Amino acid sequence: MSIITLSSVSKIYSEKTARKTVALENINLEVNEGEFLAISGPSGSGKTTLLNMIGGLDSPSNGRIILNNKDITTLKENALSHIRLHQIGFIFQAYNLIPVLTALENMEYILMLQRIKKEERQARVKDVAFRLGIDDLLDKRPSEMSGGQQQRVAIARAIVSKPKLILADEPTANLDSKTGEILLDLMRELNEEHAMTFIFATHDSSVIKKAKRHVSLLDGMVKDDQAK
Amino acid sequence: MNSLMVILAFRNLARNRVRTTMVIAMIASSLTLLMYFQGFMDGIIEQMTKDTVRSETSDITIYGKKYRKEKDLNNRLTHKKYVLKKLSYLDSIEEHFERLEHDAMIASPYYSQGIKVIGLESEKEKDDFILSTRIKEGDYSFPNENAIWIGHALAEKLGTGIQRKLVLTVQDSKGEIIGEAFRVTAIIQTNNPKIDRASAFISLTKAQALFNVPDITQLSIKIHDQKRLREVRDTIQDEIGNHYEVFTWRQLFPSLQFMETATQSYIKISYVIMFIIMMIGFVGVIMMSIMERVREFGIMMAIGHKFKQVSLIVFWESLMMSFLGFLIGTTLGFGLLYIVNQTGVNLNIFGQGFEQFGIASIIYPPMKIAYCFTPLLAVIITSILSIIWPLRILYKLKPIQSIQFN
């Protein structure tokens, strides 16, 4: 069953000087529930732009994006926020945890936004923290953690609300290869156990190797789309 | 949910302690100075009002029909018993005081000048008029019928002092010129130039004998409730009829009323100017604080925050800083006012001669709880207004633009 469908999606950045930059051109892509998909390509190929479009962080210049049978290109910002809160988990290259909150609070934060009761919140946070091996870091703030630890917390934050879709932009780029490998295995397990859909934008060959499907972009267009 | 916003706001403020402290200090010091200024101005006005009004009259004053226009003894207040009987029916009246005032010439061996002679009931007025507290030399009493009190500036001009003789020359109600010697038993300093420079006080009975009238020229009335001043005046006027004129002290001293209004306006304008300046500074700080965290706000919106919730965090930050500044400012302000309320502010530090304008040389600023109402309102308004522009900039950015903001 399709979770995302992109139909003729293009993104053109118009500068005031009338110079146009085509970031994505006529992208057609369908992603099914439970996929573990890597989108790769050289810098400037449009990977991150595509991921941002799918997550409703940016809007396409042309085309439609259907997420869970809903056309998100026509939605206003508040409705998009609602979708991001309840259906999508984000993992960023730079972790992007809220610096004034502890690891526990960063994880619990999304659940609070979802107005989930305290008991359930704490149970879910503890469960995910244990699963990701960060139960000893819960009282620490991001500045007190290593990159790998922060990325684990970022993954925990993305999955704790049990979203259908996880979008990960270069999640291993700032990590050493061993830590990256461990986290990838972890995400793969989550994908298999909970049928969460993962879409990665990546340069990392180890991510591509572990992906079940690989889409490569070049100059804003799909060059190749292979299921393994 | 809101508690989360408050926690986030608090931690964000704690993140940049120096900046937060500076902003709070800016608000607190501004409020402290403004409260002090307001107390000081109120102190001047209250002192002027008290010195002027309570040396000449009480809350409400009754005169004969044309006396205010032409201060002639023929226009004096007659049928006093009738008036007092009517007043006795009104329970809003606490006390009444009788005075007889007329022109006279006062002379010492060195100097003479025209003055007002005021006959009064010294014992009755003791607690309600200020003369008993403003005796510079001598005693507040008329030990014999030829005792006289004079203002200190008049005493200087006449070159006279306690127990020295002066001669009053008056024209009585029948037009006869009468001269009589008096002995100075008190010298008064009220800060009311009219009293200090050109008035002399004798006992009411002596004044009635001197001017050859059994009546009085003014009947001053003290009332129970100042808030009902106008209403009681109207009632009295209705009761005693149109042969008499009834005035509140505000009507008798319109210049004081004007000064009070002008001072209040001046204080309000000062508040507005101060808060505009404060708001500009505040907008700068909030703007800087938001611009530093655009990326962070972008992340928040990416993970599901609505713009409204981001705005709420910024609002709480602004409100916390303002309110803390308000608390510290008003505490320091009241503390400062308490000190100067006890010690007084000596205007002689800034120069001499304030008494000539009816201002006492030492001012005792009052402490009023109302002093914190305007700042509280202003602080809330400032907190709201100062975040509008910075948030508008943030609002225009898409989440992805915020995340990529440099």
Side-chain angles (χ1 to χ4, degrees):
Chain A
M1 189 186 162
S2 166
I3 188 166
I4 297 161
T5 308
L6 282 82
S7 309
S8 309
V9 169
S10 300
K11 180 68 181 177
I12 301 161
Y13 293 106
S14 308
E15 301 284 332
K16 281 181 185 168
T17 52
R19 209 185 91 205
K20 289 182 177 176
T21 307
V22 179
L24 293 173
E25 197 176 345
N26 199 30
I27 301 284
N28 291 291
L29 186 71
E30 191 166 334
V31 182
N32 291 322
E33 270 185 38
E35 282 204 49
F36 201 73
L37 166 69
I39 300 170
S40 71
S43 294
S45 60
K47 306 182 293 293
T48 300
T49 306
L50 182 60
L51 213 62
N52 291 335
M53 301 274 173
I54 294 169
L57 296 175
D58 203 356
S59 50
S61 308
N62 295 303
R64 284 168 28 154
I65 300 170
I66 310 292
L67 175 70
N68 272 329
N69 300 317
K70 199 169 216 171
D71 185 353
I72 63 167
T73 51
T74 58
L75 297 179
K76 296 215 165 131
E77 186 47 43
N78 265 355
L80 287 171
S81 294
H82 190 264
I83 286 176
R84 287 197 293 265
L85 178 63
H86 293 276
Q87 298 185 32
I88 305 173
F90 284 93
I91 301 167
F92 300 94
Q93 178 181 344
Y95 329 127
N96 289 332
L97 299 172
I98 297 170
V100 292
L101 299 180
T102 62
L104 181 134
E105 288 165 337
N106 263 289
M107 288 153 68
E108 203 181 358
Y109 192 61
I110 300 226
L111 302 177
M112 284 173 101
L113 289 175
Q114 290 181 341
R115 297 180 188 278
I116 288 171
K117 285 185 181 170
K118 194 177 178 184
E119 297 76 35
E120 190 185 340
R121 279 200 319 255
Q122 287 182 343
R124 275 161 75 167
V125 165
K126 278 180 187 167
D127 181 46
V128 170
F130 180 75
R131 180 86 179 78
L132 293 176
I134 51 171
D135 42 351
D136 56 335
L137 302 174
L138 292 179
D139 293 332
K140 293 198 166 153
R141 290 199 183 182
S143 58
E144 299 165 329
M145 291 185 271
S146 68
Q149 288 171 329
Q150 285 188 63
Q151 195 62 301
R152 277 173 191 259
V153 175
I155 293 169
R157 180 180 67 179
I159 64 170
V160 75
S161 61
K162 298 178 182 167
K164 290 181 178 168
L165 176 65
I166 306 275
L167 300 175
D169 187 10
E170 305 275 12
T172 54
N174 289 343
L175 304 175
D176 60 78
S177 58
K178 194 181 166 194
T179 309
E181 196 79 18
I182 293 167
L183 289 182
L184 272 175
D185 288 339
L186 195 66
M187 287 188 266
R188 182 77 192 246
E189 280 172 35
L190 291 166
N191 165 253
E192 283 168 2
E193 285 171 21
H194 302 287
M196 282 179 185
T197 309
F198 279 79
I199 302 179
F200 298 89
T202 187
H203 276 112
D204 190 342
S205 57
S206 61
V207 178
I208 298 166
K209 211 185 287 174
K210 285 201 179 345
K212 295 176 190 167
R213 181 181 167 194
H214 175 214
V215 173
S216 72
L217 297 181
L218 186 67
D219 297 333
M221 290 184 284
V222 174
K223 185 184 152 200
D224 195 19
D225 185 350
Q226 278 187 340
K228 294 178 187 172
Chain B
M1 186 62 209
N2 277 337
S3 63
L4 179 71
M5 305 296 159
V6 175
I7 290 167
L8 262 175
F10 179 77
R11 291 196 189 163
N12 280 326
L13 290 182
R15 196 164 21 163
N16 200 329
R17 287 196 183 93
V18 174
R19 185 166 63 200
T20 304
T21 308
M22 292 296 285
V23 173
I24 292 170
M26 175 184 81
I27 297 168
S29 56
S30 307
L31 284 183
T32 304
L33 291 175
L34 264 182
M35 282 177 70
Y36 177 76
F37 175 64
Q38 188 168 8
F40 179 69
M41 295 305 284
D42 277 357
I44 289 179
I45 295 296
E46 281 185 11
Q47 168 267 315
M48 285 179 80
T49 305
K50 191 177 171 191
D51 286 358
T52 307
V53 176
R54 297 296 174 186
S55 58
E56 295 184 38
T57 180
S58 189
D59 301 326
I60 292 170
T61 307
I62 305 172
Y63 295 103
K65 178 78 177 166
K66 293 176 186 166
Y67 184 77
R68 287 280 294 163
K69 277 184 187 163
E70 194 183 339
K71 293 193 171 174
D72 192 286
L73 285 176
N74 292 326
N75 296 329
R76 66 187 181 270
L77 191 154
T78 53
H79 303 98
K80 187 179 77 181
K81 281 185 182 170
Y82 162 79
V83 175
L84 291 176
K85 192 177 177 186
K86 288 283 184 187
L87 294 181
S88 68
Y89 300 139
L90 304 176
D91 56 7
S92 50
I93 293 170
E94 189 180 334
E95 187 58 277
H96 66 270
F97 311 96
E98 298 173 16
R99 280 189 174 195
L100 174 63
E101 179 182 320
H102 198 48
D103 296 330
M105 180 69 78
I106 195 163
S108 71
Y110 317 104
Y111 191 76
S112 63
Q113 81 165 66
I115 58 159
K116 292 278 181 196
V117 170
I118 299 161
L120 52 82
E121 306 164 288
S122 59
E123 277 311 304
K124 208 172 175 187
E125 283 192 5
K126 196 173 183 178
D127 296 329
D128 295 296
F129 284 61
I130 60 159
L131 295 184
S132 63
T133 61
R134 304 300 164 90
I135 301 294
K136 195 179 174 189
E137 284 178 65
D139 297 312
Y140 180 82
S141 68
F142 296 117
N144 56 62
E145 66 170 10
N146 281 67
I148 191 168
W149 307 338
I150 56 173
H152 75 104
L154 178 62
E156 271 176 37
K157 264 190 180 178
L158 293 171
T160 191
I162 295 294
Q163 291 303 322
R164 303 279 289 276
K165 264 189 183 175
L166 294 171
V167 174
L168 278 184
T169 308
V170 302
Q171 188 176 24
D172 72 9
S173 59
K174 290 182 179 148
E176 296 291 324
I177 303 294
I178 295 162
E180 204 166 325
F182 287 81
R183 200 172 285 280
V184 179
T185 59
I187 291 173
I188 293 165
Q189 183 169 8
T190 62
N191 300 315
N192 178 351
K194 190 177 152 190
I195 299 291
D196 291 349
R197 291 180 202 168
S199 295
F201 298 89
I202 57 176
S203 70
L204 179 62
T205 49
K206 180 64 192 175
Q208 286 170 328
L210 190 66
F211 292 112
N212 197 14
V213 284
D215 305 309
I216 53 174
T217 51
Q218 77 172 53
L219 183 65
S220 298
I221 292 161
K222 188 184 178 192
I223 62 170
H224 287 294
D225 185 2
Q226 283 294 318
K227 288 175 190 159
R228 294 177 58 205
L229 186 67
R230 189 72 199 218
E231 178 199 330
V232 176
R233 187 220 80 91
D234 294 345
T235 310
I236 294 172
Q237 183 74 76
D238 290 345
E239 283 291 324
I240 63 176
N242 289 333
H243 291 296
Y244 304 93
E245 286 181 322
V246 186
F247 299 93
T248 65
W249 69 265
R250 287 181 185 279
Q251 291 171 313
L252 287 176
F253 302 97
S255 59
L256 283 176
Q257 172 85 58
F258 169 75
M259 202 177 285
E260 190 181 340
T261 311
T263 306
Q264 289 304 327
S265 307
Y266 183 50
I267 289 168
K268 279 176 192 158
I269 290 166
S270 305
Y271 263 98
V272 170
I273 291 170
M274 209 263 332
F275 276 104
I276 288 173
I277 293 168
M278 200 171 85
M279 200 158 74
I280 292 168
F282 214 57
V283 168
V285 172
I286 297 283
M287 178 76 89
M288 200 187 294
S289 156
I290 286 182
M291 289 300 124
E292 279 173 3
R293 291 182 290 152
V294 170
R295 187 178 152 79
E296 204 172 302
F297 290 131
I299 300 296
M300 284 178 162
M301 287 192 274
I303 62 174
H305 255 280
K306 290 190 170 71
F307 180 75
K308 197 175 79 180
Q309 291 163 328
V310 170
S311 307
L312 205 58
I313 294 171
V314 177
F315 172 69
W316 275 115
E317 285 176 25
S318 167
L319 193 66
M320 276 180 193
M321 281 197 286
S322 308
F323 197 66
L324 209 56
F326 164 78
L327 282 181
I328 295 170
T330 47
T331 306
L332 289 176
F334 277 126
L336 191 59
L337 281 177
Y338 177 77
I339 293 167
V340 290
N341 181 266
Q342 302 297 311
T343 60
V345 182
N346 190 351
L347 294 184
N348 286 332
I349 298 167
F350 307 108
Q352 302 288 323
F354 286 97
E355 291 91 343
Q356 288 175 25
F357 304 101
I359 301 172
S361 55
I362 296 179
I363 300 294
Y364 295 91
M367 287 174 71
K368 295 178 184 172
I369 197 77
Y371 288 167
C372 56
F373 295 154
T374 313
L376 180 62
L377 187 69
V379 153
I380 293 169
I381 293 171
T382 307
S383 305
I384 296 167
L385 291 183
S386 59
I387 62 171
I388 291 175
W389 187 38
L391 280 178
R392 201 166 167 267
I393 293 173
L394 196 62
Y395 180 72
K396 284 181 178 173
L397 297 173
K398 286 182 179 175
I400 191 62
Q401 288 173 310
S402 303
I403 292 171
Q404 292 167 349
F405 191 84
N406 193 350

